[in-house]
Structures are given as C-alpha cells and as structure tokens.
Amino acid sequence: MNSIPRDTAMRACVALVLLFLLSPPGWAASLADVIDRVRPAVVGVGTAYPPRQPIGGERPNQLRGTGFAVGDGRLVVTNSHVLPELLDYENRQVLAVFAGRGREARVREARVVARDPAHDLALLQIEGEPLATLPLGDGSGVREGDEVAFTGFPIGAVLGLFPVTHRGIVSAITPMARVADSARDLSPAQLRGRREPFNVFQLDAVAYPGNSGSPVYLANTGKVIGVVNSVFVKESREAVLERPSGISYAIPVRYLHVLLDSLAP
C-alpha cells in the first residue's frame, strides 16, 4: 500500500485546523452553545395589570404562551391564538411581553401590529430597549430528519420565568389538520385551514400548551425554521401535563416572512 507523503499529510492537517479555527459562529455549534444564543430572545406572552392595581380576584399577570424577538428587537412573534380575545380596559389590563429570566424578568407592554389567523401567527411591537433577536431561515431546504429544538414555557410560569428547551427531528412535512374537541371549537380560520390545507412541520418532540409560539430552530445553527403551533392531545386537557401524548406541529417560517413583509411601508 502506498503511503501518503509526509508534507502532504502535514498540509492536510494544517488545513483542517484552520477550517476549524476560522469557521463562522454557529457552524456545527453544540446545542448548548446554540441554546445560550437563543434563550435571551425568547419571551413570555400574556396579559398584565399595572403594579398594585386593585383587580379583585384576577391574577395580576397571566402568561398565555411563548414568543421570540426578531428584526430590530422590538418585534415579537407568537401564535395568533395566544392573544386574548378581550382585555379588561376598565382596570387598565394590557397585552404584555415578559422578557428576562427568573427574578430578572420584566413586563413590557405590547401591541398587535400584524396578524395572520389562517396560519396562526401574530406580530407584536414593544417600546423601549430592544431585545436580543433570532436569525430567521428562508424556509428552503428543510428535510425530514433534520435535527431541531424549540425553546419556550411549556407549563407557563408555574416555576417562574425559566425557558425550557426540547429537541427532536422534523419527522414529517404534512398538510395541517388541527383536531378540535368538537365542531363548535373550530374557529373560522381553522375551518378555512381544513378546506385549504398547507404544509407544516411535524415534530417528534412533545410540546405543551405553553409552548405555543416557541421558535423551532436548527439544532446546529439556531436559525428559526418554524413556530410551534399546536399539539394533538389524545387524553383530557387536565391530564396533558401528567401523561403527554401528542404530535407537535410548527408553522414554516416562510409564512412569518410574508407577515413581516406586510409591515413594509
């Protein structure tokens, strides 16, 4: 067997070392590194009352789902169904984004600037200091078997505002067909979705109700490819936390790009 010349082998080793050292950030990064970059951009979405506002038996703050910051850091993506139907304006209740972690979390008032009920997406805007943002993929090239993760608040703020990450793969790319308890629970947008199905990413990682609006990203780069949407719950709603059994879905990021483009002047 012919041996490789020593100088050729040395050049090959040097090339590999340089490739590793000069690789751009995020290239083949570990999931732990990716989560460190993703976590600051993930927020809670819900409602809030002014501090010390007398509101009877109502909870002052309510976390309804997850969101994540994009663009200039003042735009937050979430699911349309996460948003409340009505606010208690009489007692100055507001739509809110909960940014930060644990005791450092802060309430940021938000407003809806764009909504796409057909694809269950919404864009919120906050004022003040921008948040860390996540890079968006273009939606092309996603394949069944791609390793992904999503970060959010699966059980709300029961344990405080601490984001949780689940990992898995894109197990299928399939037409959306959301299950409801009965025909009465189907919104007009969901009925349209059944008549005009669109492809979504099916994930093998279990999401919980609080994960709605979580970013789904490639595990090795952190680029967002979709937004967690819903779970097929096979048991009662009360049992979902004890015995989760479902299929998680994500709305492809291309629909988010369309919604973002709608804000352009």
Side-chain angles (χ1 to χ4, degrees):
M1 179 181 295
N2 295 330
S3 61
I4 299 175
R6 184 174 180 179
D7 60 339
T8 301
M10 287 295 294
R11 284 196 297 269
C13 289
V14 170
L16 287 173
V17 171
L18 288 175
L19 179 63
F20 175 77
L21 293 176
L22 300 178
S23 295
W27 180 81
S30 73
L31 180 56
D33 291 334
V34 170
I35 292 172
D36 281 342
R37 297 201 303 268
V38 168
R39 192 188 301 114
V42 176
V43 298
V45 176
T47 57
Y49 285 95
R52 296 176 295 279
Q53 174 79 3
I55 53 175
E58 295 292 334
R59 286 180 291 173
N61 297 331
Q62 182 180 10
L63 192 68
R64 297 174 57 90
T66 302
F68 59 97
V70 297
D72 65 357
R74 296 183 178 90
L75 285 176
V76 171
V77 180
T78 190
N79 281 155
S80 181
H81 80 261
V82 166
L83 305 182
E85 293 184 7
L86 295 172
L87 290 171
D88 180 10
Y89 292 110
E90 183 177 349
N91 289 306
R92 298 165 57 196
Q93 186 185 36
V94 298
L95 183 63
V97 163
F98 304 96
R101 191 179 186 195
R103 294 186 177 181
E104 297 179 359
R106 295 292 180 268
V107 178
R108 307 279 294 271
E109 185 173 347
R111 64 185 181 92
V112 181
V113 292
R115 201 163 180 173
D116 177 6
H119 300 104
D120 200 16
L121 294 173
L123 285 174
L124 313 180
Q125 187 170 55
I126 59 174
E127 302 297 329
E129 184 179 353
L131 303 173
T133 61
L134 296 185
L136 302 179
D138 61 10
S140 64
V142 177
R143 302 172 61 194
E144 295 175 0
D146 281 346
E147 294 186 359
V148 297
F150 55 87
T151 301
F153 303 97
I155 55 174
V158 172
L159 302 178
L161 203 68
F162 294 96
V164 178
T165 299
H166 302 251
R167 70 176 302 175
I169 64 169
V170 176
S171 53
I173 300 175
T174 180
M176 182 64 166
R178 189 178 187 277
V179 164
D181 293 339
S182 70
R184 292 175 302 176
D185 294 324
L186 287 171
S187 68
Q190 290 164 354
L191 287 170
R192 285 196 303 273
R194 288 194 168 194
R195 291 194 298 266
E196 303 170 9
F198 58 95
N199 283 346
V200 296
F201 302 136
Q202 182 176 316
L203 312 176
D204 72 339
V206 177
Y208 295 86
N211 279 121
S212 291
S214 298
V216 179
Y217 49 91
L218 295 175
N220 64 334
T221 66
K223 279 194 173 183
V224 176
I225 65 165
V227 182
V228 171
N229 174 257
S230 61
V231 182
F232 277 155
V233 179
K234 296 179 182 177
E235 299 185 76
S236 68
R237 291 177 180 175
E238 291 74 17
V240 66
L241 294 180
E242 297 177 6
R243 297 183 296 277
S245 177
I247 301 172
S248 303
Y249 287 94
I251 304 298
V253 73
R254 67 188 185 94
Y255 297 109
L256 175 56
H257 280 295
V258 173
L259 194 59
L260 287 165
D261 290 343
S262 72
L263 297 179

